Amino acid sequence: MKYYEPELVLSAKFGADPKTFRKQMWPFIHALSELEYQVIIFDNRYKGDQQHDCLLSVDGTDFRINWTSKAFYSHKFKGCGLWYEVALNILTGDICWINGPFEPGKYNDLMIFRMGLMGELDEGERVEADDGYLGEAPLHVKCPKSLTSDPVNKKLKSRVRSRHETCNKRFKQWKILKEVYRHNIADHGSVFRSIAVLTQISFQ
């Protein structure tokens, strides 16, 4: 996944024929992805909590796929992709929530937030997000264009967004996510979750 070389090249490195390598590779990736529930823990948003009402920053990230469909069209890179929602502990940077994949041509950030993460928050709890989530501000979201946004916290908000961008860059250090994904898109969720698990472990 790190280098995303053709199976013929990778299988040769491991001294196996491509068919055997493929049979061994995917069960390993699926097993690694299942560690999500042991490594990416929603309650980790309380780590370092100072009794604030905003514990998580939330953003979406897109990855390119070899597909042709309006449902999968991403305006971010003007091509088809898959979309995931990621939430980080604002104070520690821990990955506390991942959700997806979704078709970026059918769902936007706010729709996904309403379908999942919003319902998991404590009463009175909000998240830090960009203006794509403005429709749930200020009740569930703090975002720059919200009427209740505090300009004094502008530097803090910028730091929070920067941390999220850094996490997304860590995901795309893996070429399987950086380049156009050329395998079965049904397996993309397992690939992303495997990398999210490894990224979170690297934070610990």
Short mmCIF file of all heavy atoms in Angstrom, two decimals, residues 124-159:
data_model
loop_
_atom_site.label_atom_id
_atom_site.label_comp_id
_atom_site.label_asym_id
_atom_site.label_seq_id
_atom_site.Cartn_x
_atom_site.Cartn_y
_atom_site.Cartn_z
N GLY A 124 -25.36 19.12 23.87
CA GLY A 124 -24.62 20.37 24.00
C GLY A 124 -23.23 20.34 23.40
O GLY A 124 -22.55 21.37 23.33
N GLU A 125 -22.79 19.16 22.93
CA GLU A 125 -21.45 19.05 22.33
C GLU A 125 -21.48 19.53 20.88
O GLU A 125 -22.44 19.28 20.14
CB GLU A 125 -20.98 17.60 22.38
CG GLU A 125 -19.57 17.39 21.84
CD GLU A 125 -19.11 15.94 21.90
OE1 GLU A 125 -19.85 15.09 22.43
OE2 GLU A 125 -18.00 15.67 21.39
N ARG A 126 -20.42 20.23 20.48
CA ARG A 126 -20.30 20.71 19.11
C ARG A 126 -18.96 20.26 18.52
O ARG A 126 -18.10 19.75 19.24
CB ARG A 126 -20.39 22.25 19.08
CG ARG A 126 -21.71 22.78 19.58
CD ARG A 126 -21.86 24.26 19.32
NE ARG A 126 -21.01 25.06 20.21
CZ ARG A 126 -20.86 26.38 20.11
NH1 ARG A 126 -21.50 27.04 19.16
NH2 ARG A 126 -20.09 27.04 20.95
N VAL A 127 -18.80 20.45 17.22
CA VAL A 127 -17.54 20.13 16.54
C VAL A 127 -17.03 21.38 15.84
O VAL A 127 -17.79 22.28 15.50
CB VAL A 127 -17.71 18.99 15.51
CG1 VAL A 127 -18.19 17.71 16.19
CG2 VAL A 127 -18.66 19.39 14.39
N GLU A 128 -15.72 21.41 15.63
CA GLU A 128 -15.08 22.48 14.86
C GLU A 128 -15.01 22.01 13.41
O GLU A 128 -14.57 20.89 13.13
CB GLU A 128 -13.68 22.73 15.39
CG GLU A 128 -12.99 23.94 14.80
CD GLU A 128 -13.49 25.25 15.36
OE1 GLU A 128 -13.67 25.35 16.59
OE2 GLU A 128 -13.69 26.17 14.56
N ALA A 129 -15.47 22.85 12.48
CA ALA A 129 -15.49 22.44 11.08
C ALA A 129 -15.42 23.67 10.18
O ALA A 129 -15.49 24.81 10.65
CB ALA A 129 -16.75 21.63 10.79
N ASP A 130 -15.29 23.43 8.87
CA ASP A 130 -15.27 24.55 7.93
C ASP A 130 -16.70 24.94 7.58
O ASP A 130 -17.68 24.38 8.10
CB ASP A 130 -14.44 24.21 6.70
CG ASP A 130 -14.99 23.02 5.90
OD1 ASP A 130 -16.23 22.82 5.92
OD2 ASP A 130 -14.20 22.32 5.25
N ASP A 131 -16.84 25.89 6.68
CA ASP A 131 -18.16 26.45 6.40
C ASP A 131 -19.07 25.52 5.60
O ASP A 131 -20.25 25.83 5.39
CB ASP A 131 -18.02 27.79 5.66
CG ASP A 131 -17.45 28.87 6.58
OD1 ASP A 131 -17.82 28.88 7.76
OD2 ASP A 131 -16.64 29.68 6.11
N GLY A 132 -18.56 24.37 5.19
CA GLY A 132 -19.42 23.38 4.56
C GLY A 132 -20.45 22.81 5.53
O GLY A 132 -21.42 22.19 5.11
N TYR A 133 -20.22 23.05 6.82
CA TYR A 133 -21.11 22.54 7.87
C TYR A 133 -21.97 23.65 8.47
O TYR A 133 -22.58 23.46 9.51
CB TYR A 133 -20.27 21.89 8.98
CG TYR A 133 -19.48 20.68 8.54
CD1 TYR A 133 -18.28 20.81 7.85
CD2 TYR A 133 -19.91 19.39 8.83
CE1 TYR A 133 -17.55 19.71 7.45
CE2 TYR A 133 -19.19 18.27 8.45
CZ TYR A 133 -18.01 18.44 7.75
OH TYR A 133 -17.28 17.34 7.36
N LEU A 134 -22.00 24.80 7.82
CA LEU A 134 -22.68 25.98 8.35
C LEU A 134 -24.15 25.71 8.67
O LEU A 134 -24.71 26.32 9.59
CB LEU A 134 -22.56 27.13 7.34
CG LEU A 134 -23.10 28.50 7.77
CD1 LEU A 134 -22.36 29.01 9.00
CD2 LEU A 134 -22.96 29.50 6.62
N GLY A 135 -24.79 24.80 7.96
CA GLY A 135 -26.20 24.51 8.18
C GLY A 135 -26.52 23.98 9.55
O GLY A 135 -27.69 23.97 9.96
N GLU A 136 -25.52 23.50 10.30
CA GLU A 136 -25.74 23.02 11.67
C GLU A 136 -25.09 23.92 12.71
O GLU A 136 -24.95 23.54 13.87
CB GLU A 136 -25.25 21.57 11.82
CG GLU A 136 -26.14 20.54 11.15
CD GLU A 136 -27.54 20.48 11.74
OE1 GLU A 136 -27.71 20.90 12.91
OE2 GLU A 136 -28.45 20.04 11.03
N ALA A 137 -24.68 25.12 12.30
CA ALA A 137 -24.12 26.09 13.24
C ALA A 137 -25.24 27.04 13.70
O ALA A 137 -26.14 27.37 12.92
CB ALA A 137 -23.01 26.89 12.56
N PRO A 138 -25.21 27.45 14.96
CA PRO A 138 -24.19 27.16 15.97
C PRO A 138 -24.54 25.99 16.89
O PRO A 138 -23.78 25.68 17.80
CB PRO A 138 -24.16 28.45 16.78
CG PRO A 138 -25.59 28.91 16.77
CD PRO A 138 -26.13 28.51 15.41
N LEU A 139 -25.69 25.34 16.66
CA LEU A 139 -26.14 24.32 17.61
C LEU A 139 -25.19 23.14 17.72
O LEU A 139 -24.88 22.68 18.82
CB LEU A 139 -27.54 23.82 17.21
CG LEU A 139 -28.21 22.85 18.18
CD1 LEU A 139 -28.39 23.49 19.55
CD2 LEU A 139 -29.56 22.38 17.62
N HIS A 140 -24.71 22.63 16.56
CA HIS A 140 -23.86 21.44 16.59
C HIS A 140 -22.45 21.69 16.05
O HIS A 140 -21.59 20.82 16.17
CB HIS A 140 -24.49 20.32 15.76
CG HIS A 140 -25.80 19.83 16.32
ND1 HIS A 140 -27.01 20.06 15.70
CD2 HIS A 140 -26.08 19.15 17.45
CE1 HIS A 140 -27.97 19.52 16.42
NE2 HIS A 140 -27.45 18.97 17.48
N VAL A 141 -22.23 22.86 15.44
CA VAL A 141 -20.96 23.12 14.76
C VAL A 141 -20.47 24.54 15.05
O VAL A 141 -21.27 25.47 15.13
CB VAL A 141 -21.11 22.95 13.22
CG1 VAL A 141 -19.80 23.28 12.51
CG2 VAL A 141 -21.56 21.54 12.87
N LYS A 142 -19.15 24.67 15.20
CA LYS A 142 -18.49 25.97 15.21
C LYS A 142 -17.75 26.10 13.88
O LYS A 142 -16.94 25.24 13.55
CB LYS A 142 -17.47 26.07 16.35
CG LYS A 142 -18.06 26.11 17.74
CD LYS A 142 -16.95 26.26 18.77
CE LYS A 142 -17.48 26.33 20.18
NZ LYS A 142 -16.38 26.47 21.17
N CYS A 143 -18.05 27.14 13.13
CA CYS A 143 -17.36 27.34 11.85
C CYS A 143 -17.14 28.83 11.62
O CYS A 143 -17.81 29.67 12.23
CB CYS A 143 -18.13 26.70 10.70
SG CYS A 143 -19.82 27.25 10.52
N PRO A 144 -16.21 29.19 10.75
CA PRO A 144 -15.80 30.60 10.59
C PRO A 144 -16.93 31.58 10.29
O PRO A 144 -16.94 32.69 10.80
CB PRO A 144 -14.80 30.53 9.43
CG PRO A 144 -14.24 29.15 9.49
CD PRO A 144 -15.37 28.29 9.93
N LYS A 145 -17.90 31.19 9.45
CA LYS A 145 -18.94 32.13 9.04
C LYS A 145 -20.18 32.11 9.93
O LYS A 145 -21.15 32.80 9.65
CB LYS A 145 -19.34 31.86 7.58
CG LYS A 145 -18.26 32.25 6.58
CD LYS A 145 -18.75 32.10 5.16
CE LYS A 145 -17.68 32.51 4.16
NZ LYS A 145 -18.12 32.35 2.74
N SER A 146 -20.12 31.34 11.00
CA SER A 146 -21.24 31.32 11.93
C SER A 146 -21.38 32.68 12.60
O SER A 146 -20.39 33.35 12.90
CB SER A 146 -21.02 30.24 12.99
OG SER A 146 -22.01 30.33 14.00
N LEU A 147 -22.61 33.10 12.85
CA LEU A 147 -22.86 34.40 13.49
C LEU A 147 -22.26 34.48 14.88
O LEU A 147 -21.96 35.56 15.37
CB LEU A 147 -24.37 34.66 13.56
CG LEU A 147 -25.09 34.84 12.22
CD1 LEU A 147 -26.59 34.97 12.44
CD2 LEU A 147 -24.55 36.07 11.49
N THR A 148 -22.07 33.31 15.52
CA THR A 148 -21.53 33.29 16.88
C THR A 148 -20.02 33.04 16.89
O THR A 148 -19.44 32.87 17.96
CB THR A 148 -22.23 32.21 17.72
OG1 THR A 148 -22.03 30.93 17.11
CG2 THR A 148 -23.72 32.50 17.83
N SER A 149 -19.39 33.00 15.73
CA SER A 149 -17.95 32.74 15.66
C SER A 149 -17.17 33.87 16.35
O SER A 149 -17.44 35.05 16.12
CB SER A 149 -17.51 32.62 14.20
OG SER A 149 -16.13 32.36 14.12
N ASP A 150 -16.21 33.49 17.19
CA ASP A 150 -15.42 34.46 17.94
C ASP A 150 -14.14 34.77 17.18
O ASP A 150 -13.28 33.90 17.04
CB ASP A 150 -15.09 33.89 19.33
CG ASP A 150 -14.37 34.89 20.23
OD1 ASP A 150 -14.03 35.98 19.74
OD2 ASP A 150 -14.14 34.56 21.40
N PRO A 151 -13.96 36.00 16.69
CA PRO A 151 -12.75 36.35 15.93
C PRO A 151 -11.48 36.22 16.75
O PRO A 151 -10.39 36.07 16.20
CB PRO A 151 -13.01 37.80 15.50
CG PRO A 151 -14.07 38.30 16.42
CD PRO A 151 -14.90 37.12 16.79
N VAL A 152 -11.59 36.26 18.09
CA VAL A 152 -10.42 36.13 18.96
C VAL A 152 -9.78 34.76 18.80
O VAL A 152 -8.57 34.59 18.95
CB VAL A 152 -10.81 36.37 20.44
CG1 VAL A 152 -9.63 36.12 21.37
CG2 VAL A 152 -11.33 37.80 20.62
N ASN A 153 -10.61 33.76 18.48
CA ASN A 153 -10.12 32.38 18.35
C ASN A 153 -9.68 32.03 16.94
O ASN A 153 -9.52 30.87 16.61
CB ASN A 153 -11.22 31.40 18.79
CG ASN A 153 -11.49 31.48 20.27
OD1 ASN A 153 -10.58 31.76 21.06
ND2 ASN A 153 -12.74 31.25 20.66
N LYS A 154 -9.47 33.03 16.11
CA LYS A 154 -9.12 32.80 14.71
C LYS A 154 -7.83 31.99 14.58
O LYS A 154 -7.74 31.07 13.76
CB LYS A 154 -8.99 34.13 13.98
CG LYS A 154 -8.84 33.99 12.48
CD LYS A 154 -8.86 35.34 11.79
CE LYS A 154 -8.73 35.21 10.28
NZ LYS A 154 -8.75 36.53 9.60
N LYS A 155 -6.82 32.33 15.38
CA LYS A 155 -5.54 31.60 15.31
C LYS A 155 -5.72 30.15 15.74
O LYS A 155 -5.12 29.24 15.15
CB LYS A 155 -4.50 32.29 16.18
CG LYS A 155 -3.94 33.57 15.58
CD LYS A 155 -2.78 34.10 16.42
CE LYS A 155 -2.18 35.35 15.78
NZ LYS A 155 -1.04 35.88 16.58
N LEU A 156 -6.52 29.94 16.76
CA LEU A 156 -6.77 28.57 17.23
C LEU A 156 -7.47 27.76 16.16
O LEU A 156 -7.10 26.61 15.89
CB LEU A 156 -7.62 28.60 18.51
CG LEU A 156 -8.07 27.23 19.05
CD1 LEU A 156 -6.86 26.37 19.41
CD2 LEU A 156 -8.99 27.40 20.25
N LYS A 157 -8.47 28.35 15.51
CA LYS A 157 -9.20 27.65 14.45
C LYS A 157 -8.27 27.30 13.30
O LYS A 157 -8.36 26.23 12.70
CB LYS A 157 -10.35 28.52 13.96
CG LYS A 157 -11.47 28.72 14.98
CD LYS A 157 -12.53 29.65 14.44
CE LYS A 157 -13.61 29.96 15.47
NZ LYS A 157 -14.40 28.77 15.80
N SER A 158 -7.36 28.22 12.98
CA SER A 158 -6.40 27.98 11.91
C SER A 158 -5.48 26.82 12.27
O SER A 158 -5.15 25.98 11.42
CB SER A 158 -5.58 29.24 11.65
OG SER A 158 -4.60 29.01 10.67
N ARG A 159 -5.08 26.73 13.53
CA ARG A 159 -4.22 25.64 13.98
C ARG A 159 -4.95 24.31 13.92
O ARG A 159 -4.36 23.28 13.56
CB ARG A 159 -3.73 25.94 15.40
CG ARG A 159 -2.60 25.04 15.87
CD ARG A 159 -1.80 25.66 17.00
NE ARG A 159 -2.60 25.93 18.18
CZ ARG A 159 -2.84 27.16 18.65
NH1 ARG A 159 -2.34 28.21 18.04
NH2 ARG A 159 -3.56 27.33 19.74
#
